[in-house]
Amino acid sequence: QVTLVESGGGWVQPGGSLKLSCAASGDNFRISSLYWYRQIVGKEREVVAGITTGFQRTYADSVKGRFFISRDNAKNMVYLQMDDLKPDDSAIYYCKLILHIYGSEYWGQGTQVTVSS
């Protein structure tokens, strides 16, 4: 069993920045792929960014050039640096861990990001 805890959300003005953190439990972090999702009010949950065990990164088109995902295997942490935030980025952001050896998915509780003036 893996538990994930997000932090770092809050309110920011358009053009501002936030850095989200997600702390994971367990001994298999290094062999897990990690993702950030978000759920905007009235829409389905969507993937924002991902990072593999080999540090390959993917981003949704809507956040390319503005968001950066990283991981620290020594700390069991995954981060999402969000720059130049826009009101359309407002959402609950969730981290997800995929443990490949079991084909299991784990989700955090989410953290609210609100971008407004």
Side-chain angles (χ1 to χ4, degrees), residues 16-73:
S17 297
L18 287 172
K19 186 175 182 179
L20 306 183
S21 300
C22 178
S25 67
D27 296 325
N28 293 311
F29 187 86
R30 284 175 169 80
I31 57 173
S32 300
S33 292
L34 300 154
Y35 302 86
W36 286 96
Y37 283 71
R38 68 186 181 190
Q39 188 158 19
I40 298 168
V41 173
K43 297 184 178 181
E44 294 184 351
R45 191 173 298 185
E46 62 182 359
V47 66
V48 174
I51 185 166
T52 69
T53 58
F55 291 83
Q56 297 293 312
R57 295 172 171 87
T58 58
Y59 299 95
D61 287 343
S62 59
V63 307
K64 284 180 180 176
R66 300 188 297 119
F67 289 14
F68 182 77
I69 187 170
S70 60
R71 65 190 294 166
D72 186 338
N73 289 339

Side-chain angles (χ1 to χ4, degrees), residues 3 5 8 14 16 31 33 37 40 42 44 53 58 65 70 72 80 86-87 90 93 96 99 106 108-109 116:
T3 57
V5 180
I31 57 173
S33 292
Y37 283 71
I40 298 168
E44 294 184 351
T53 58
T58 58
S70 60
D72 186 338
L80 185 67
K86 306 177 184 299
S90 296
Y93 284 75
K96 181 179 79 171
L99 187 54
Y106 302 91
Q109 83 288 350
S116 69

